[in-house]
């Protein structure tokens, strides 16, 4: 049992959060490791589960842990170095960092290009484009999610190719684009929206970085316009010159 000091003016949940934070800092719990379940922590600290839950929520808001529904609470890994240059490839960057890349297609469908998308892809407003929404991960931890638009009919088979490969780069290759480069990147920050927080396993209050980009094929033709959202404290964006 780990004693909680009573009557010293520091709430029990704060003492628990501080002790778990110290355990993480001193390596008792390693990056990616699952913390004991709420019931175990409640017994260890001789408090109720609500008190433990509040302590874990504070750690999650501070970016030290990640709570995944149905799986438990895990220590956050170190930020992933993510260089942004002319050839940014998510899977390659994750593998270079010694971690396993993952990709999941959430939704796909044909939509009419709005003014911003049409300008980015050098199309007329209202032109049909393919819309893909994906979530990308490293060692099973969500890193980013994005909504990407591709010209039709050129990329009519891209969604099926993405489902098959789990990678945008590999899917583009199956659609005849063996190489592409980044023509433009814009980065900003904001709080996550509710659906983003859900898909990225984010606690309330943790910021996200938004990255808007345009990719072009070797002939300079725009092929992809993307609005991506990165978990700010799970990534370290590096702008290459």
């Amino acid at each position: 049992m780990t004693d909680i000091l009573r009557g010293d003016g520091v709430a029990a949940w704060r003492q628990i959060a501080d002790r778990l934070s110290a355990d993480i800092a001193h390596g008792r719990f390693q990056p990616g490791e699952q913390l004991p379940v709420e019931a175990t922590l409640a017994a260890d600290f001789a408090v109720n589960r609500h008190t433990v839950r509040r302590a874990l929520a504070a750690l999650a808001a501070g970016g030290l842990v990640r709570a995944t529904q149905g799986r438990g609470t895990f220590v956050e890994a170190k930020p992933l170095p993510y260089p942004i240059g002319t050839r940014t490839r998510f899977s390659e960057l994750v593998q270079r960092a010694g971690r396993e890349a993952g990709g999941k297609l959430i939704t796909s469908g044909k939509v009419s290009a709005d003014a911003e998308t049409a300008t980015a892809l050098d199309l007329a407003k209202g032109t049909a484009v393919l819309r893909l929404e994906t979530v990308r991960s490293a060692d099973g931890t969500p890193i980013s999610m994005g909504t990407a638009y591709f010209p039709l009919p050129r990329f009519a088979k891209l969604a099926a190719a993405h489902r098959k490969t789990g990678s945008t780069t590999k899917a583009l290759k199956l659609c005849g684009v063996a190489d592409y480069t980044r023509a433009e990147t814009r980065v900003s920050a904001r709080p996550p929206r509710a659906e983003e927080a859900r898909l990225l396993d984010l606690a309330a209050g943790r910021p996200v970085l938004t990255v808007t980009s345009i990719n072009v094929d070797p002939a300079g033709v725009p092929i992809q316009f993307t609005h991506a959202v990165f978990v700010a404290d799970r990534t370290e964006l590096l702008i290459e010159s």
Side-chain angles (χ1 to χ4, degrees):
M1 182 184 298
T2 303
D3 292 333
I4 292 295
L5 299 178
R6 309 288 180 176
D8 67 346
V10 181
W13 69 266
R14 172 49 64 190
Q15 294 183 55
I16 295 170
D18 289 345
R19 294 189 192 185
L20 291 175
S21 177
D23 285 341
I24 292 170
H26 289 96
R28 180 185 172 195
F29 298 114
Q30 295 294 316
E33 183 178 349
Q34 184 176 0
L35 294 181
V37 297
E38 288 181 3
T40 299
L41 289 173
D44 287 345
F45 288 102
V47 297
N48 59 47
R49 292 179 64 172
H50 175 76
T51 300
V52 169
R53 195 171 300 126
R54 187 171 180 185
L56 294 177
L59 294 179
L64 288 179
V65 302
R66 170 177 60 91
T68 301
Q69 187 173 7
R71 292 183 56 207
T73 302
F74 298 82
V75 178
E76 286 280 21
K78 294 181 179 180
L80 173 73
Y82 196 88
I84 295 179
T86 56
R87 282 181 170 79
T88 299
R89 307 289 189 265
F90 180 82
S91 295
E92 292 178 9
L93 294 175
V94 173
Q95 291 167 4
R96 193 184 306 165
R99 300 166 70 177
E100 182 178 355
K104 181 180 180 181
L105 180 61
I106 304 300
T107 61
S108 66
K110 183 169 69 174
V111 298
S112 297
D114 60 17
E116 182 184 27
T117 302
T119 298
L121 294 177
D122 196 19
L123 302 171
K125 181 180 178 181
T127 300
V129 293
L130 176 67
R131 179 184 184 275
L132 299 185
E133 184 178 358
T134 59
V135 173
R136 296 180 295 184
S137 61
D139 289 341
T141 299
I143 296 294
S144 70
M145 62 179 294
T147 302
Y149 301 88
F150 304 84
L152 290 172
R154 183 177 182 182
F155 295 106
K157 298 181 180 180
L158 187 68
H162 197 292
R163 291 190 185 92
K164 179 179 180 180
T165 64
S167 162
T168 300
T169 297
K170 292 177 181 178
L172 285 169
K173 187 172 291 187
L174 290 178
C175 292
V177 180
D179 190 25
Y180 60 91
T181 55
R182 182 72 61 91
E184 179 180 304
T185 302
R186 287 175 284 162
V187 181
S188 60
R190 61 169 171 78
R193 301 185 178 108
E195 183 66 2
E196 293 168 346
R198 184 183 72 81
L199 290 172
L200 295 172
D201 287 341
L202 269 182
R206 292 179 64 178
V208 295
L209 296 174
T210 64
V211 179
T212 302
S213 60
I214 300 172
N215 290 330
V216 298
D217 67 13
V221 177
I223 61 168
Q224 179 180 356
F225 175 54
T226 303
H227 289 292
V229 175
F230 286 79
V231 182
D233 47 21
R234 290 181 195 156
T235 51
E236 183 181 38
L237 299 186
L238 309 172
I239 308 300
E240 295 182 337
S241 59

